[in-house]
Amino acid sequence: DSGAILFDQISGSVFDDNGDDGLDLQTTGGGSLTVMESLVGNSYTGNTDNGLEITGGLGGVLDVDIGDPLALGASPIMGNGGAGVFIGTTGGTLMTSVNGITATGNGGSGVVISLEGGTVLLDSISDNFLNDNGENGLAIINNDGGTRSEEHTSELQSH
């Protein structure tokens, strides 16, 4: 069966020093998860795995935007063991944007967008600082015949 979770916003929260991910949003089996307002003003630091993980499995639908170019640095994403932000789907649909975030000093990449079947619709990637991470600043990976669409990509800084 499918179900739906709808949040107006997730903001002003601290997701630090956890044994796995700081915040893990996921859906499978035809379920949907939507956050109406962009995730901004949260802290994701010092987690064992990813700071923020957003994943959709077969038939799942996620609609979550991350950051705000008008609030640069408002959501620290630092010092996580894995990626700062991991966005992925294995047969679902994921709609997202990544704007105005700072992801530094993470063990993996600053931001990973991973597709293994399904669809990722990127509205925009802009005004980000993705520096001094253990792997890539930004990694966009399409493994297994899925569809990735980018509407707007600008002002990306990655070192």
Side-chain angles (χ1 to χ4, degrees):
D1 292 332
S2 63
I5 298 173
L6 175 66
F7 293 98
D8 181 46
Q9 65 180 352
I10 300 174
S11 64
S13 299
V14 176
F15 302 101
D16 294 351
D17 302 315
N18 294 290
D20 195 13
D21 301 315
L23 174 61
D24 186 358
L25 301 172
Q26 60 179 283
T27 187
T28 60
S32 68
L33 189 147
T34 301
V35 181
M36 300 296 291
E37 299 290 327
S38 186
L39 296 176
V40 69
N42 300 304
S43 175
Y44 312 93
T45 66
N47 297 291
T48 301
D49 198 10
N50 303 310
L52 172 61
E53 181 170 309
I54 301 170
T55 56
L58 187 61
V61 177
L62 291 121
D63 187 354
V64 181
D65 293 323
I66 304 164
D68 181 345
L70 300 177
L72 295 174
S75 298
I77 306 170
M78 303 180 296
N80 297 290
V85 176
F86 181 89
I87 303 166
T89 183
T90 54
T93 300
L94 176 58
M95 296 160 285
T96 192
S97 63
V98 181
N99 300 306
I101 68 164
T102 299
T104 61
N106 297 290
S109 297
V111 175
V112 175
I113 300 169
S114 177
L115 176 63
E116 294 186 24
T119 302
V120 173
L121 303 169
L122 294 168
D123 183 47
S124 63
I125 301 174
S126 68
D127 301 301
N128 298 296
F129 292 91
L130 310 173
N131 305 331
D132 300 320
N133 295 290
E135 294 178 9
N136 305 293
L138 172 65
I140 300 176
I141 304 159
N142 187 348
N143 290 314
D144 197 23
T147 302
R148 176 179 53 88
S149 170
E150 296 167 3
E151 184 174 311
H152 174 72
T153 303
S154 71
E155 299 179 35
L156 176 68
Q157 293 192 15
S158 176
H159 301 280

